[in-house]
Amino acid sequence: MAWFCSGSTNRELVENLYREGLIKSERVKNAMLMVDRAHYAPSNPYSDSPQPIGYGATISAPHMHGHACEYLLEYLRPGARVLDIGSGSGYLTHVLARLITDPSAENPAADADGHVIGIDHIQELNDIAIRNMRKSDDGRKFLESGKVQFITADGRKGWPQGGPYDVIHVGAAAAELHETLVQQLKAPGRMFIPVENAAEEGGSGSMLSRLGLSGGQHIWVVDKRADGSVHKEKVLPVQYVPLTDAPKR
């Protein structure tokens, strides 16, 4: 179904995803309508498929961005703090910023201290993400207000300086469910993370091995509840590029 949602414009793409139930919320639909994928995908921007953006990275298929926003939506309130790991082109970082901003506010900075931090270990991708966001008035306002920032660092370690986070989104497949990211979640807070289960086979000390799970990549939704307890749920089989070290120069 997802592969039949492509369009000739951003609006047609998003409307198709909404009609097919891959986007369920009006909030997510409206946020994606406000961020033109043509500013972020160098080719076939309105195809519902992943697209290469250089440096071994991709921009995920639009339906996966829709899924991520839907799973995280409960925690994407005005003023929320969000960490977008593996931010790549900057597309989802921009959509997340729209979701934590009151659309009736003239100044995006008005929503308390909420912000979205995009983190990638490749400086060139962060440079591209900033250029992409500057293609629209909306994106420029987010950058200039500090509502959106891009940091070059190892996303597997998170970015504690901007937390704790209501939401952590991970846009590349992790070798494990990194405990340091769970620690940077607020209580309550939620993380959406693809995990390479096969990498956990034989790793008796890892979190997933203790759960008795292995094989393939899956999206995990990790909730830190108000009392600090952590609940994990495996929700979707996926195929993401790996969350790895920065390439050697």
Side-chain angles (χ1 to χ4, degrees), residues 5-207:
C5 291
S6 300
S8 58
T9 65
N10 192 66
R11 176 168 291 277
E12 185 177 3
L13 166 67
V14 175
E15 293 285 1
N16 286 344
L17 291 167
Y18 187 72
R19 185 190 65 244
E20 295 294 336
L22 295 165
I23 298 173
K24 302 180 186 301
S25 163
E26 287 278 351
R27 281 184 63 207
V28 173
K29 175 186 172 183
N30 291 336
M32 291 178 69
L33 283 172
M34 294 181 74
V35 182
D36 192 341
R37 279 180 66 92
H39 293 164
Y40 295 89
S43 61
N44 301 316
Y46 307 128
S47 172
D48 190 25
S49 61
Q51 304 290 331
I53 57 173
Y55 304 95
T58 62
I59 177 173
S60 295
H63 72 270
M64 282 308 306
H65 286 144
H67 282 317
C69 292
E70 293 286 351
Y71 276 109
L72 297 169
L73 189 60
E74 178 183 350
Y75 295 84
L76 292 168
R77 297 176 292 267
R81 294 184 176 190
V82 181
L83 182 64
D84 183 20
I85 297 172
S87 47
S89 72
Y91 170 78
L92 188 60
T93 318
H94 192 168
V95 173
L96 292 168
R98 287 260 39 108
L99 286 167
I100 66 161
T101 303
D102 181 350
S104 66
E106 293 184 7
N107 181 1
D111 293 311
D113 64 344
H115 55 242
V116 183
I117 295 176
I119 185 168
D120 206 291
H121 60 191
I122 300 174
Q123 179 63 52
E124 290 85 351
L125 284 177
N126 282 332
D127 293 341
I128 288 170
I130 291 169
R131 288 200 299 271
N132 289 343
M133 286 201 71
R134 290 193 178 279
K135 293 174 184 176
S136 68
D137 289 342
D138 190 60
R140 284 193 296 274
K141 288 177 182 177
F142 280 134
L143 290 171
E144 291 165 4
S145 69
K147 180 70 73 175
V148 170
Q149 304 170 53
F150 290 97
I151 303 294
T152 302
D154 186 346
R156 294 170 297 187
K157 299 177 182 178
W159 190 252
Q161 296 93 319
Y165 299 100
D166 300 89
V167 164
I168 297 177
H169 168 267
V170 183
E176 61 179 300
L177 192 52
H178 296 288
E179 190 65 43
T180 187
L181 300 182
V182 178
Q183 292 170 359
Q184 291 177 35
L185 278 175
K186 278 186 184 178
R190 176 170 290 176
M191 177 164 60
F192 178 98
I193 178 171
V195 178
E196 186 73 65
N197 293 343
E200 299 302 315
E201 293 182 15
S204 59
S206 71
M207 188 177 296

